[in-house]
Structures are given as C-alpha cells and as structure tokens.
Amino acid sequence: MKIATRPLLALIWFICLPATSFAQNFDHQVKVNVSNTGDIFEINASFKTPLNNCDAFRYLTDYEAAKKIPGVLDSVVTRKSDTLAVVNRTIKESILFFSVTIKTTIEYNELPFIGSDFKQIAGDAKMFKGSWRLKQDETGTSFIYRSFIEPNTIVPNFIISSYIKNELQQQFVEIAKQ
C-alpha cells in the first residue's frame, strides 16, 4: 500500500538548522491552507523568520538536514549543476494503523535568493510539485510555499484531507522555529 500524505509533510520540512532563542520567540505568522479538487490536494502556506535573504536561501537549500526530522530515514542530495539538485528521501511514518516506508526523488530547481521550484521525478505519489518563494522585508524573510500532490493510496480523500490539515499547521510552526 502506498500512502503519501505524511511523507509530504517531511518533504516540505526538509531543513532543520539550529535555532536561536530570537527565532524561537519571533512571531512566525504561520498560515496554512489545504484544499482539494478530486484527488489533487493544493497546499498553500507561509511563515516568517528573522533570517536575512541570504541565510533564508541557505536554509531552504540544506536538503541533507532533513535527516534531523522525525520519520526521515535518509536524505541524499546529488548536485546536477549550481542550481539543480536531486534529493532522494526515504521516510517511515505511521498513518492510522499502518506503518509505511516511502521513497521519493525530488528535483529542485533553485532560484538564488528567490526560492525554488520542485517536482517529484520518481516515488510513491502519483504527482508532487510546487515551489518555495522568499520575500524579504525589514524584519526578516517570509517563506511562501505552494504545492500540488496527488497521493497514490487507497485511503479515502476525506481521511487524507483531515490528516493533512491537522498535521500541516504544526509542521510549518516547527519549520519556522528552526
């Protein structure tokens, strides 16, 4: 059985750098919205950090740090060019009464100091693609996330939708704190 909901959370939470106490007390203004049309889920999220644009971009592109995320067993990056990275991840999660191991390969097209576009090129979801954008202002940098996923699962959409909506808010709060 292929279940691709929780791994998406791990895919979007692919970086964990040591947090400063300032970052922990910062108002991250986390916003998450999940909607679906048929079998395709759209996820829009944003959060703010005290990082400058340069540090935010470095944070965004530290793919191997995902190994610090609970459930991520492996995260290996292969550089294809200065702005193209392919990341292979193995994730183990429990959803309802199932324990599943999921493998995925994501290609990241990095747009220096702007963000990145990504798409699954192999893996357990039927489709997974999206983008991260960075927007700097006088108090820090906002991370703006948008993705589309079509899970490859027999779990009904209402269960997937509920699971994603309930878990994503907390996941983005944790990402922002890092």
Side-chain angles (χ1 to χ4, degrees), residues 15-171:
I15 34 187
C16 289
L17 297 177
T20 65
S21 60
F22 179 65
Q24 295 295 328
N25 296 324
F26 188 81
D27 178 10
H28 296 290
Q29 304 169 20
V30 177
K31 298 175 187 162
V32 178
N33 183 40
V34 178
S35 60
N36 70 298
T37 304
D39 292 338
I40 298 176
F41 291 84
E42 179 178 352
I43 302 165
N44 289 286
S46 65
F47 60 88
K48 188 148 177 81
T49 71
L51 298 173
N52 65 38
N53 192 260
C54 182
D55 289 338
F57 186 72
R58 187 180 67 208
Y59 172 87
L60 184 66
T61 57
D62 186 6
Y63 309 113
E64 290 191 4
K67 292 183 249 185
K68 297 176 184 176
I69 301 167
V72 176
L73 302 176
D74 201 18
S75 183
V76 178
V77 64
T78 302
R79 282 262 162 216
K80 298 294 183 181
S81 73
D82 288 344
T83 59
L84 188 65
V86 175
V87 179
N88 291 293
R89 293 237 168 86
T90 304
I91 302 158
K92 185 171 184 175
E93 286 297 339
S94 295
I95 301 172
L96 299 176
F97 302 107
F98 303 101
S99 179
V100 293
T101 301
I102 294 166
K103 294 182 183 231
T104 188
T105 303
I106 305 290
E107 180 180 81
Y108 291 89
N109 182 19
E110 300 167 352
L111 309 165
F113 311 107
I114 296 171
S116 67
D117 295 329
F118 58 88
K119 65 181 176 182
Q120 176 182 272
I121 57 176
D124 293 331
K126 289 182 183 176
M127 183 263 303
F128 177 55
K129 64 181 180 177
S131 64
W132 283 97
R133 291 295 181 264
L134 303 173
K135 184 177 178 185
Q136 188 174 9
D137 64 24
E138 63 280 349
T139 61
T141 302
S142 293
F143 285 68
I144 302 162
Y145 175 84
R146 183 175 189 199
S147 70
F148 297 89
I149 180 158
E150 183 176 3
N152 188 14
T153 178
I154 61 170
V155 176
N157 278 349
F158 75 91
I159 293 174
I160 294 171
S161 180
S162 176
Y163 185 80
I164 291 173
K165 288 175 184 175
N166 291 333
E167 291 294 318
L168 274 181
Q169 182 75 25
Q170 186 57 36
Q171 290 289 343

